[in-house]
Amino acid sequence: MISDRSEVTRMILAAKVSKGLKWADVAEKVGLSKEWVTAGCLGQMTFSKAQAEVVGVCFDLSDEAVAWLQIVPYKGSLPTAVPTDPLIYRWYEIVSVYGSTIKELIHEEFGDGIMSAIDFSMDIQREPDPKGDRVNVVLSGKFLPYKSY
Amino acid sequence: MISDRSEVTRMILAAKVSKGLKWADVAEKVGLSKEWVTAGCLGQMTFSKAQAEVVGVCFDLSDEAVAWLQIVPYKGSLPTAVPTDPLIYRWYEIVSVYGSTIKELIHEEFGDGIMSAIDFSMDIQREPDPKGDRVNVVLSGKFLPYKSY
Amino acid sequence: MISDRSEVTRMILAAKVSKGLKWADVAEKVGLSKEWVTAGCLGQMTFSKAQAEVVGVCFDLSDEAVAWLQIVPYKGSLPTAVPTDPLIYRWYEIVSVYGSTIKELIHEEFGDGIMSAIDFSMDIQREPDPKGDRVNVVLSGKFLPYKSY
Amino acid sequence: MISDRSEVTRMILAAKVSKGLKWADVAEKVGLSKEWVTAGCLGQMTFSKAQAEVVGVCFDLSDEAVAWLQIVPYKGSLPTAVPTDPLIYRWYEIVSVYGSTIKELIHEEFGDGIMSAIDFSMDIQREPDPKGDRVNVVLSGKFLPYKSY
Amino acid sequence: MISDRSEVTRMILAAKVSKGLKWADVAEKVGLSKEWVTAGCLGQMTFSKAQAEVVGVCFDLSDEAVAWLQIVPYKGSLPTAVPTDPLIYRWYEIVSVYGSTIKELIHEEFGDGIMSAIDFSMDIQREPDPKGDRVNVVLSGKFLPYKSY
Amino acid sequence: MISDRSEVTRMILAAKVSKGLKWADVAEKVGLSKEWVTAGCLGQMTFSKAQAEVVGVCFDLSDEAVAWLQIVPYKGSLPTAVPTDPLIYRWYEIVSVYGSTIKELIHEEFGDGIMSAIDFSMDIQREPDPKGDRVNVVLSGKFLPYKSY
Amino acid sequence: MISDRSEVTRMILAAKVSKGLKWADVAEKVGLSKEWVTAGCLGQMTFSKAQAEVVGVCFDLSDEAVAWLQIVPYKGSLPTAVPTDPLIYRWYEIVSVYGSTIKELIHEEFGDGIMSAIDFSMDIQREPDPKGDRVNVVLSGKFLPYKSY
Amino acid sequence: MISDRSEVTRMILAAKVSKGLKWADVAEKVGLSKEWVTAGCLGQMTFSKAQAEVVGVCFDLSDEAVAWLQIVPYKGSLPTAVPTDPLIYRWYEIVSVYGSTIKELIHEEFGDGIMSAIDFSMDIQREPDPKGDRVNVVLSGKFLPYKSY
Amino acid sequence: MISDRSEVTRMILAAKVSKGLKWADVAEKVGLSKEWVTAGCLGQMTFSKAQAEVVGVCFDLSDEAVAWLQIVPYKGSLPTAVPTDPLIYRWYEIVSVYGSTIKELIHEEFGDGIMSAIDFSMDIQREPDPKGDRVNVVLSGKFLPYKSY
Amino acid sequence: MISDRSEVTRMILAAKVSKGLKWADVAEKVGLSKEWVTAGCLGQMTFSKAQAEVVGVCFDLSDEAVAWLQIVPYKGSLPTAVPTDPLIYRWYEIVSVYGSTIKELIHEEFGDGIMSAIDFSMDIQREPDPKGDRVNVVLSGKFLPYKSY
């Protein structure tokens, strides 16, 4: 019996390697962005019934696993507060080095509030560059103002 | 005597409020992006002599402070490993929730390596939206591959 | 020179004791709820110019301090990640003990998403009770759904 | 053999998904609030014999599991001191940002003491709102005064 | 200007050494137990106006300091989560080694609930013993039951 | 094969629930206080051969488990440095709030040294009280003086 | 089913001991440095198909394990942030003691930027010395400059 | 009065910027490597009387400061266990990613023991490279074997 | 298959209890001190082939386990950075309380350097004393000087 | 006004350097061991009036400082839980690597209990050795048995 969404994530990861699948292909079958679908497969987003069934077919999941894909997971995909993996650490470093800058500039433009991480989307693309290709990421989050009451 | 770049950051913050300056205006005077100039003023980047002098004029800094702006700082702008400020926390949350997704998709496209946080730029813009304006951020980092040796 | 909002908070706390003020009276002069005004005085919210000037009069603040009240602060009012003060700890305990319950019930009613801590208000009242008066707190936060993209 | 209440929580979570149950329906069968019953099923509260038997029927639990539901659990439902899940983090953020405010206002009204997290109840409701429905939560805790001795 | 109760604690500690006072004598003048009065002087309890004035006389405190003694402090008297001082560590060790035992025995006798640390008193006495005198401590806390709702 | 005392603790806890035993009854059979016997069963104290055999009979333990009860365990009964369980946390809070007070008063009475947590006993009793029964705990520890050398 | 690269690392370690293999010999078969190949076998680098097959033969790995060797791992080889093993701790100590020196000297020579840990190689050799042989390690990392934008 | 070596480090850093000195030039005057002299100036090594006097002249230090340079400092040059500065972090990352590899290879060559961080030297050089200059670092530490006894 | 030395430690601990062995007897059979042999059996030292075979006979270990005894382990025998077990904590306390004293006195006698924990031996003996027997421990570590270069 | 023993420690350290004193000489004047006297001067032990006056003369302390030397300090001499200084870290490492061994051997000889860190003395000596002098440390602590009750 499955008692935790992370067990389904492990099943997906095992199947992905043994079947040689690509996230982009799974996303195409689901009909949504590769960013959102991958996050869902990694246990960070919640699939609708129809989406979960497509994912289930891709990874040969049991009905029980497909049911768990529709359950809101406990989110947070990293094993430590400061990530050890170099690729993910660079993102943590951007937050660490540029965090106060981001705060100042958003407040200067919008006033007090935040950039939502819920009403949010992300798009990751390869940007060809003769000096070495670049990773180009667009983050879009709704500005949510603090209001007095 | 100044013995730490963070003392200069405090001088800049005090002057910014008492003089009512905007980061965008300071950046325009320096002639570079608001993101990089703000990060520099907040003690995360190193100014050239010419740049430091412009910053010094903007914030009425002493010669000693201007000299310190040209010294490479000890970077990291946040007081705790997990940031408490809600605006900055949302960025930490993006890394936490989407970290494994970003890793999977960059590796799927580029193979093993990282997105550089050094050969890196950031652009923060307001994106008008009838359902509420959005913060639109473009991150661009060179892909650096791991190679065998 | 003031270089940090927390210096203004300390000025306010010192003046509050020496002048014997009450938060509720300050809030009434500002014309907003006691919850929001107190949070602002404690360095967690941003005042408008008019509000800041009222606060400045209440606590005999300098013009520079009044200017800082209009600057968005770095938020987070507690000195440690797990609070040691018994009153505040009980709230941490509620999150610890009921956290998974709150998550389950909000998801059961609304689906995947969060209760906003930004589009949020709080009202604290005394509820008379013959067995001992109670603290009654109403928290209201907009539900923000995760959406696929 | 079951040696820990958390094993029963996992059984309940597995059964809930495979049987498609709702916490509100389980609570109705137990005859108590959805908040308390869910907290109990998640291993944070202690059921009476009669309550435990109803819960056992709902989730097809063994007699041994039903016995464990009547044992006081080791409480605390979160895997880390600072929660990573966005929904639960927002509650932690409320404590972090408003903690000192809550402390000031309760003391201003009641004097030194705490709001109990034991003689406590919670009620979570959907509040319809044309700008987006809200989560409305009422927390009620007995005020417990410190006394000199 | 005093902006924090801990400044008053430091004044009291400095005066205590330079004047050679004893906590028991101060407590006798205040007319309460040595445990509660010492905790108050160390910034953990709140004095009434009359009590604060007696304390102020004992330690030659200013009016402003006496006013701060009547303000509810941010509690927690230790600089680290795990105390380094051997005397205080032994108490932490008692909680660590006997914590699960205390929990089992209180629940066996009273059911689910806690022993209050608010409606609480403590009495520390020397117990003469031919094999070496003992520290005898009586802790008395009201039992507060969890109730279903 | 058992390779850790904590495995025996889990066996005892499983048997206690399935057999419906009480710690006080087990202690009576062992012929010692309920505090010490419970601590021993929870893996914090070491039983003699005769005591271990009585415990083994109570909980239907194997010979191997009975042998392990006579092995000095690695002590410390809590899963985190700051306990999350509300009952145990209140004890941690007592150490946090009263720690500096306990230190001052023991030193005032005895001079420099500690209250032993080894030459130590604890007695937990219900104290009837019309305003609500109280938990009464007597801690007795030998005073151990620091000496110069 | 394998769901995590660390399972393959454990298989390799088990096989290495039971078969009595040496890292240098495995590296020779793979045709690359012992440093990179060992890091790969320990789950820190990604093998090409051809390399993975050689590694698979050396350690008698299943096809599934060989497939996992070609998947980019979640990096970071140590169980704690501050390593407890004396050999590895000495390296942490070098970073701790010499960290600020390394920073100053690289900046003095190159300006603001970093020494890459990705475009990086390491060579560990025995250096004979009559007073006791030495470990000689050459680290080579590309300098990556911060640039303004 | 100076009561801590770190005060001297701050004096040196302030003088270095205001006088525009280079570590390499200071080292040349002291007559030792730039690595060791910089570490000494940053409070990690102990100078002899003659060396300290040269350093004192370079940075215009008082006699008291020169005396402190001859006192063994409390070592460790970083403000947090995991460094936030990107240049220093890359070294931490090398330890994290390659730590187990370094351990395996040193043990394979030398048996059980460590590479000394005391009988140790470091040499940092620029290595010209048409694809971008590299930082070349040679670490040399005596191998110290564990022996049975 | 064994993939970690700690599995062998668990086998040894299980066998030691079931067979009723003493460390001193095992050490005698190995022909070395009880301190070193016990540390080896607990996974902190590396046995030679001959030593490992003696240990294997004592504890009825498999050939594979005997092979692992000859593999250098990842050292560090405690589950938390600050040990919870009272016996081990007292040693941590000695380091905490006397750490700065040990540092001052070794530097006063030897100059800058350390006392080796590798070229090190330990001898633990019972010292009879009419006021209560004492534990007498002799630590001997080679002094390793820092040298300039 | 002095409000904390650590201020006196700083005065002593400043005077020691400016006057060029040695701990051994101070200890001789006090008439006790260098270990205990140094620990006292570093704020870890409590001096009698006569001892404090000798210390005061050695370091030219004020009467107020001499009074503070007779106050029991808050003990613990290290700034972090895991010490960064190499000399002190080696002691932490001994506890980490040998901790479980020390525990096993003391229990094998004495049964359950601890080696006291209070009824404790330490003696540090240079042990001449042709292969390099050694630091020889004798620790003597009374064994304190756990007893059942």
Side-chain angles (χ1 to χ4, degrees):
Chain A
M1 288 251 282
I2 298 172
S3 64
D4 193 312
R5 174 75 177 269
S6 66
E7 297 171 41
V8 184
T9 300
R10 283 197 291 278
M11 289 171 195
I12 287 176
L13 288 171
K16 179 171 181 291
V17 171
S18 66
K19 305 180 65 157
L21 300 174
K22 282 179 170 278
W23 297 116
D25 296 339
V26 175
E28 201 176 353
K29 281 185 187 139
V30 176
L32 290 164
S33 71
K34 66 185 182 306
E35 289 76 14
W36 190 86
V37 172
T38 305
C41 290
L42 294 173
Q44 304 299 315
M45 299 292 158
T46 311
F47 290 104
S48 69
K49 188 160 192 302
Q51 294 163 347
E53 282 165 358
V54 176
V55 172
V57 169
C58 290
F59 296 106
D60 284 344
L61 301 176
S62 67
D63 286 358
E64 196 186 4
V66 168
W68 270 95
L69 288 176
Q70 305 169 50
I71 300 297
V72 184
Y74 190 91
K75 289 164 185 149
S77 69
L78 305 177
T80 52
V82 178
T84 62
D85 183 80
L87 185 142
I88 302 178
Y89 183 81
R90 296 309 179 273
W91 280 72
Y92 179 80
E93 184 174 302
I94 291 167
V95 177
S96 170
V97 169
Y98 279 99
S100 52
T101 295
I102 294 168
K103 180 172 172 66
E104 289 287 330
L105 292 177
I106 293 179
H107 292 326
E108 185 162 300
E109 176 65 29
F110 291 90
D112 198 357
I114 64 156
M115 168 181 162
S116 181
I118 308 296
D119 189 335
F120 171 83
S121 66
M122 168 185 273
D123 183 39
I124 302 175
Q125 297 295 340
R126 176 191 285 262
E127 181 189 355
D129 188 304
K131 284 176 291 184
D133 286 4
R134 299 179 76 80
V135 185
N136 204 295
V137 184
V138 181
L139 309 176
S140 169
K142 190 177 178 184
F143 180 73
L144 304 179
Y146 273 101
K147 292 172 200 150
S148 60
Y149 55 88
Chain B
M1 289 251 282
I2 298 170
S3 65
D4 193 312
R5 173 77 178 268
S6 66
E7 297 172 43
V8 184
T9 300
R10 282 197 292 277
M11 290 172 196
I12 286 176
L13 288 171
K16 179 170 182 289
V17 171
S18 66
K19 303 181 66 156
L21 300 174
K22 281 179 171 279
W23 297 115
D25 296 340
V26 175
E28 199 175 357
K29 282 185 187 137
V30 176
L32 289 165
S33 71
K34 65 185 183 305
E35 287 77 13
W36 189 86
V37 173
T38 303
C41 290
L42 294 174
Q44 304 300 316
M45 299 290 158
T46 311
F47 289 104
S48 69
K49 188 162 192 300
Q51 293 163 350
E53 281 165 0
V54 177
V55 172
V57 169
C58 289
F59 296 106
D60 285 344
L61 300 177
S62 67
D63 286 359
E64 195 188 4
V66 169
W68 270 95
L69 288 176
Q70 304 168 53
I71 301 295
V72 184
Y74 190 92
K75 289 162 186 153
S77 70
L78 305 179
T80 50
V82 178
T84 63
D85 182 80
L87 184 140
I88 302 177
Y89 183 81
R90 294 310 178 275
W91 280 72
Y92 179 82
E93 184 175 302
I94 291 168
V95 177
S96 169
V97 170
Y98 280 99
S100 53
T101 295
I102 294 167
K103 180 172 171 66
E104 289 287 330
L105 293 177
I106 293 179
H107 292 327
E108 184 162 301
E109 175 65 30
F110 291 90
D112 197 356
I114 64 156
M115 168 182 161
S116 181
I118 308 295
D119 189 334
F120 172 83
S121 66
M122 168 185 273
D123 183 39
I124 302 175
Q125 297 295 340
R126 176 191 286 261
E127 180 189 355
D129 188 306
K131 284 176 291 184
D133 286 4
R134 299 178 76 81
V135 185
N136 203 294
V137 184
V138 181
L139 309 176
S140 169
K142 190 178 177 183
F143 179 74
L144 304 179
Y146 273 101
K147 292 171 201 149
S148 58
Y149 54 90
Chain C
M1 288 251 283
I2 298 170
S3 64
D4 193 312
R5 174 76 177 270
S6 67
E7 297 172 42
V8 185
T9 300
R10 283 196 291 276
M11 290 171 196
I12 287 175
L13 289 171
K16 178 169 183 291
V17 171
S18 67
K19 304 181 66 156
L21 300 174
K22 282 180 170 279
W23 298 115
D25 296 339
V26 175
E28 200 176 355
K29 280 183 189 142
V30 175
L32 289 164
S33 71
K34 65 185 184 305
E35 288 77 14
W36 190 86
V37 172
T38 304
C41 290
L42 294 173
Q44 304 300 315
M45 299 291 158
T46 311
F47 289 104
S48 69
K49 189 160 192 302
Q51 294 162 349
E53 281 165 359
V54 176
V55 172
V57 169
C58 289
F59 295 106
D60 285 343
L61 301 177
S62 67
D63 285 358
E64 195 188 3
V66 168
W68 270 95
L69 288 175
Q70 304 168 53
I71 300 296
V72 183
Y74 190 92
K75 289 162 186 152
S77 70
L78 305 178
T80 50
V82 178
T84 62
D85 183 81
L87 184 141
I88 302 177
Y89 183 81
R90 296 309 179 275
W91 280 72
Y92 179 81
E93 183 175 302
I94 291 168
V95 177
S96 169
V97 170
Y98 280 98
S100 52
T101 295
I102 294 167
K103 180 172 172 66
E104 289 287 331
L105 292 176
I106 293 179
H107 292 327
E108 184 161 302
E109 175 65 30
F110 291 90
D112 197 357
I114 64 158
M115 169 181 161
S116 181
I118 308 295
D119 189 336
F120 172 82
S121 66
M122 168 184 273
D123 183 40
I124 303 175
Q125 297 295 340
R126 176 191 284 264
E127 180 189 355
D129 188 304
K131 283 175 291 183
D133 287 2
R134 300 178 75 81
V135 185
N136 204 295
V137 184
V138 181
L139 309 176
S140 168
K142 189 177 177 184
F143 179 74
L144 304 179
Y146 274 102
K147 291 171 201 150
S148 59
Y149 54 88
Chain D
M1 288 251 283
I2 298 172
S3 64
D4 193 312
R5 174 75 177 269
S6 65
E7 297 172 41
V8 184
T9 300
R10 282 197 292 277
M11 289 172 195
I12 287 176
L13 288 171
K16 178 170 183 290
V17 171
S18 66
K19 304 181 65 158
L21 300 175
K22 282 180 170 279
W23 297 115
D25 296 340
V26 175
E28 201 175 354
K29 281 184 187 141
V30 176
L32 289 164
S33 71
K34 67 185 181 305
E35 288 76 14
W36 190 87
V37 172
T38 304
C41 290
L42 294 172
Q44 305 299 315
M45 299 291 158
T46 312
F47 290 104
S48 68
K49 188 161 191 302
Q51 293 162 347
E53 282 166 357
V54 176
V55 172
V57 168
C58 290
F59 296 106
D60 285 343
L61 302 176
S62 67
D63 285 358
E64 195 187 4
V66 168
W68 270 94
L69 288 175
Q70 304 168 52
I71 300 296
V72 184
Y74 190 91
K75 288 160 186 154
S77 69
L78 305 177
T80 52
V82 178
T84 62
D85 183 79
L87 185 142
I88 301 178
Y89 183 81
R90 296 307 179 276
W91 280 72
Y92 180 80
E93 184 175 302
I94 292 167
V95 177
S96 169
V97 169
Y98 279 99
S100 52
T101 295
I102 294 166
K103 179 172 171 67
E104 289 287 331
L105 293 176
I106 293 178
H107 292 327
E108 185 162 299
E109 176 65 30
F110 291 90
D112 198 357
I114 64 155
M115 169 181 161
S116 181
I118 308 295
D119 189 334
F120 172 82
S121 66
M122 168 184 272
D123 183 39
I124 302 175
Q125 297 294 342
R126 177 190 285 263
E127 180 189 354
D129 188 305
K131 283 176 292 183
D133 286 3
R134 300 179 75 80
V135 185
N136 205 294
V137 184
V138 181
L139 309 176
S140 168
K142 190 178 179 185
F143 180 74
L144 304 179
Y146 274 101
K147 293 172 200 150
S148 59
Y149 54 89
Chain E
M1 290 250 284
I2 298 170
S3 65
D4 193 312
R5 174 76 177 270
S6 66
E7 297 172 42
V8 184
T9 300
R10 282 196 292 276
M11 289 171 196
I12 287 176
L13 288 172
K16 177 170 183 291
V17 172
S18 66
K19 305 181 66 156
L21 301 174
K22 282 179 171 280
W23 297 116
D25 296 339
V26 175
E28 200 176 356
K29 282 185 187 139
V30 176
L32 289 164
S33 71
K34 65 184 183 307
E35 287 77 13
W36 190 86
V37 173
T38 304
C41 289
L42 294 173
Q44 304 299 316
M45 299 291 159
T46 311
F47 289 105
S48 70
K49 188 161 191 303
Q51 294 162 347
E53 281 166 0
V54 176
V55 172
V57 169
C58 290
F59 296 106
D60 285 344
L61 301 177
S62 66
D63 286 357
E64 196 188 2
V66 168
W68 270 95
L69 288 175
Q70 305 168 51
I71 301 295
V72 183
Y74 189 92
K75 289 162 185 150
S77 70
L78 305 178
T80 51
V82 178
T84 63
D85 183 80
L87 184 141
I88 301 177
Y89 183 81
R90 295 308 179 275
W91 280 71
Y92 179 81
E93 184 175 302
I94 291 167
V95 178
S96 169
V97 169
Y98 280 98
S100 52
T101 296
I102 294 167
K103 180 172 172 67
E104 289 288 331
L105 292 176
I106 294 179
H107 292 326
E108 184 161 302
E109 175 64 30
F110 291 90
D112 198 357
I114 64 157
M115 169 182 162
S116 181
I118 308 296
D119 188 336
F120 171 84
S121 65
M122 168 185 274
D123 183 39
I124 302 174
Q125 297 295 340
R126 176 191 285 263
E127 180 189 356
D129 188 305
K131 285 175 291 183
D133 287 3
R134 300 178 76 80
V135 185
N136 204 294
V137 184
V138 181
L139 309 176
S140 168
K142 189 177 177 183
F143 179 74
L144 304 179
Y146 274 101
K147 292 171 202 150
S148 60
Y149 54 88
Chain F
M1 287 249 285
I2 298 172
S3 64
D4 193 313
R5 173 75 178 271
S6 65
E7 297 171 43
V8 184
T9 301
R10 282 197 292 277
M11 289 172 196
I12 288 176
L13 288 171
K16 178 171 183 288
V17 171
S18 65
K19 304 181 65 156
L21 300 174
K22 282 180 169 278
W23 297 116
D25 295 339
V26 175
E28 201 176 356
K29 282 183 187 140
V30 176
L32 289 164
S33 71
K34 67 185 182 304
E35 288 76 14
W36 190 86
V37 172
T38 304
C41 290
L42 294 173
Q44 305 299 314
M45 299 291 158
T46 311
F47 289 104
S48 69
K49 189 160 192 302
Q51 294 163 348
E53 281 166 358
V54 176
V55 172
V57 168
C58 289
F59 296 107
D60 284 343
L61 301 177
S62 66
D63 285 358
E64 194 187 5
V66 168
W68 270 95
L69 288 175
Q70 305 168 52
I71 300 296
V72 183
Y74 190 92
K75 289 162 185 150
S77 69
L78 305 178
T80 52
V82 178
T84 61
D85 182 79
L87 185 142
I88 302 177
Y89 183 82
R90 296 309 179 274
W91 280 72
Y92 179 82
E93 184 174 302
I94 291 167
V95 177
S96 170
V97 169
Y98 279 99
S100 52
T101 295
I102 294 167
K103 180 172 172 66
E104 290 287 331
L105 293 176
I106 292 179
H107 292 327
E108 186 162 299
E109 176 65 29
F110 291 90
D112 197 358
I114 63 156
M115 169 182 162
S116 181
I118 308 295
D119 190 333
F120 171 83
S121 65
M122 168 184 272
D123 183 39
I124 301 174
Q125 297 295 341
R126 177 190 285 262
E127 182 190 353
D129 188 306
K131 283 176 293 184
D133 286 5
R134 299 178 76 81
V135 185
N136 205 294
V137 184
V138 181
L139 309 176
S140 169
K142 190 178 179 184
F143 180 75
L144 304 179
Y146 273 101
K147 292 171 200 150
S148 59
Y149 55 90
Chain G
M1 288 251 284
I2 298 171
S3 65
D4 193 311
R5 174 77 177 270
S6 66
E7 296 172 43
V8 185
T9 301
R10 283 197 290 277
M11 289 172 196
I12 287 176
L13 288 170
K16 179 171 181 290
V17 171
S18 67
K19 305 180 64 156
L21 301 175
K22 281 180 169 278
W23 297 116
D25 296 339
V26 174
E28 202 176 354
K29 282 185 187 140
V30 176
L32 289 165
S33 71
K34 66 185 183 305
E35 288 76 14
W36 190 86
V37 172
T38 305
C41 290
L42 294 173
Q44 304 299 316
M45 299 292 158
T46 311
F47 290 104
S48 69
K49 188 160 191 302
Q51 294 163 348
E53 281 165 0
V54 177
V55 172
V57 169
C58 290
F59 297 107
D60 285 343
L61 301 177
S62 67
D63 286 358
E64 196 187 3
V66 168
W68 270 94
L69 287 176
Q70 305 169 51
I71 300 296
V72 184
Y74 190 92
K75 289 162 185 149
S77 70
L78 306 177
T80 53
V82 178
T84 62
D85 182 79
L87 185 141
I88 301 178
Y89 183 81
R90 295 309 179 273
W91 280 72
Y92 180 81
E93 184 175 302
I94 291 167
V95 177
S96 170
V97 170
Y98 279 99
S100 52
T101 294
I102 294 167
K103 179 173 172 65
E104 289 287 331
L105 293 176
I106 292 178
H107 292 327
E108 186 162 299
E109 176 64 30
F110 291 90
D112 198 357
I114 63 157
M115 168 181 162
S116 182
I118 308 295
D119 189 335
F120 171 83
S121 65
M122 168 184 272
D123 183 38
I124 302 175
Q125 298 294 341
R126 177 191 285 262
E127 181 188 355
D129 188 304
K131 284 177 292 186
D133 286 4
R134 299 179 75 80
V135 185
N136 204 295
V137 184
V138 181
L139 308 176
S140 169
K142 189 177 179 184
F143 179 73
L144 304 179
Y146 273 101
K147 292 171 201 151
S148 60
Y149 55 88
Chain H
M1 288 250 282
I2 298 171
S3 64
D4 192 313
R5 175 77 177 271
S6 67
E7 296 172 41
V8 185
T9 300
R10 283 196 292 276
M11 289 171 196
I12 287 175
L13 288 171
K16 179 172 181 288
V17 171
S18 66
K19 304 181 66 156
L21 300 173
K22 282 180 170 278
W23 297 115
D25 296 340
V26 175
E28 201 176 357
K29 282 185 186 138
V30 176
L32 289 165
S33 71
K34 65 184 185 304
E35 288 77 14
W36 190 86
V37 173
T38 304
C41 290
L42 294 174
Q44 304 299 315
M45 299 291 158
T46 311
F47 290 104
S48 69
K49 188 162 193 302
Q51 294 162 349
E53 282 165 359
V54 176
V55 172
V57 169
C58 290
F59 296 107
D60 285 343
L61 301 177
S62 67
D63 286 358
E64 196 188 3
V66 168
W68 270 95
L69 288 175
Q70 305 167 52
I71 300 296
V72 184
Y74 189 92
K75 289 163 185 146
S77 70
L78 304 179
T80 51
V82 178
T84 62
D85 183 80
L87 185 141
I88 302 177
Y89 183 80
R90 294 310 179 274
W91 280 71
Y92 179 81
E93 184 175 302
I94 291 167
V95 177
S96 169
V97 169
Y98 280 98
S100 52
T101 295
I102 294 166
K103 181 172 172 66
E104 289 287 331
L105 292 176
I106 293 179
H107 292 327
E108 184 161 301
E109 175 64 30
F110 291 91
D112 198 357
I114 64 157
M115 168 181 162
S116 180
I118 308 295
D119 189 335
F120 172 83
S121 66
M122 168 184 273
D123 183 38
I124 303 175
Q125 298 295 340
R126 176 192 285 263
E127 181 190 353
D129 188 305
K131 284 177 291 184
D133 286 4
R134 300 179 75 81
V135 185
N136 204 294
V137 184
V138 181
L139 308 176
S140 169
K142 189 177 178 183
F143 180 73
L144 305 179
Y146 274 100
K147 292 171 202 149
S148 59
Y149 54 90
Chain I
M1 289 250 283
I2 298 172
S3 65
D4 192 312
R5 173 77 177 270
S6 66
E7 297 172 41
V8 184
T9 301
R10 283 197 291 277
M11 289 172 196
I12 287 176
L13 288 171
K16 179 172 181 289
V17 172
S18 66
K19 303 180 66 156
L21 301 174
K22 281 180 170 277
W23 297 116
D25 296 339
V26 175
E28 202 176 354
K29 282 185 187 135
V30 176
L32 289 164
S33 70
K34 66 185 183 305
E35 289 76 14
W36 190 86
V37 172
T38 304
C41 290
L42 294 173
Q44 305 299 315
M45 299 291 158
T46 311
F47 290 104
S48 68
K49 188 161 193 303
Q51 293 163 348
E53 281 165 359
V54 177
V55 172
V57 168
C58 290
F59 296 107
D60 285 343
L61 300 177
S62 67
D63 285 357
E64 195 187 4
V66 168
W68 270 95
L69 287 176
Q70 305 169 51
I71 299 296
V72 184
Y74 190 93
K75 289 161 184 151
S77 70
L78 306 177
T80 52
V82 178
T84 62
D85 182 80
L87 185 141
I88 302 177
Y89 183 82
R90 295 308 179 275
W91 280 72
Y92 179 83
E93 184 175 302
I94 291 167
V95 177
S96 170
V97 169
Y98 279 99
S100 53
T101 295
I102 294 167
K103 179 172 172 65
E104 289 287 331
L105 292 176
I106 292 178
H107 292 327
E108 186 162 300
E109 177 64 30
F110 291 89
D112 198 357
I114 63 157
M115 168 182 162
S116 181
I118 308 294
D119 189 335
F120 171 83
S121 66
M122 169 184 273
D123 183 39
I124 302 175
Q125 298 294 340
R126 176 191 285 261
E127 181 188 355
D129 188 305
K131 284 177 291 186
D133 286 4
R134 300 179 74 81
V135 185
N136 204 295
V137 184
V138 181
L139 309 176
S140 169
K142 190 179 179 183
F143 180 73
L144 305 179
Y146 273 101
K147 291 171 201 150
S148 60
Y149 55 88
Chain J
M1 287 249 284
I2 298 171
S3 64
D4 192 312
R5 174 77 177 269
S6 66
E7 297 172 42
V8 184
T9 300
R10 283 195 292 277
M11 289 171 196
I12 287 175
L13 289 171
K16 179 171 182 290
V17 172
S18 66
K19 305 181 65 156
L21 300 174
K22 282 179 170 279
W23 297 117
D25 295 340
V26 175
E28 200 176 354
K29 282 184 187 139
V30 177
L32 289 164
S33 71
K34 64 184 184 307
E35 288 76 14
W36 189 87
V37 173
T38 304
C41 290
L42 294 173
Q44 305 299 316
M45 299 290 159
T46 311
F47 290 104
S48 70
K49 188 161 192 302
Q51 294 163 347
E53 282 166 359
V54 176
V55 172
V57 168
C58 290
F59 296 106
D60 285 344
L61 301 176
S62 67
D63 286 358
E64 195 188 4
V66 168
W68 270 95
L69 288 175
Q70 304 167 52
I71 301 296
V72 183
Y74 189 93
K75 289 161 185 150
S77 70
L78 305 178
T80 51
V82 178
T84 63
D85 184 80
L87 185 141
I88 302 177
Y89 182 81
R90 295 309 178 275
W91 281 72
Y92 179 81
E93 184 175 302
I94 292 167
V95 177
S96 169
V97 170
Y98 280 98
S100 52
T101 295
I102 294 167
K103 180 173 172 66
E104 289 287 332
L105 293 176
I106 293 179
H107 292 326
E108 184 161 300
E109 175 66 30
F110 292 91
D112 198 357
I114 64 156
M115 168 181 162
S116 181
I118 308 295
D119 189 335
F120 172 84
S121 66
M122 167 184 274
D123 183 38
I124 302 175
Q125 297 294 340
R126 176 192 285 263
E127 179 190 356
D129 189 305
K131 284 176 291 184
D133 287 4
R134 300 179 74 81
V135 186
N136 205 293
V137 185
V138 180
L139 308 175
S140 169
K142 189 177 178 183
F143 180 73
L144 305 179
Y146 273 101
K147 292 169 201 150
S148 60
Y149 54 89

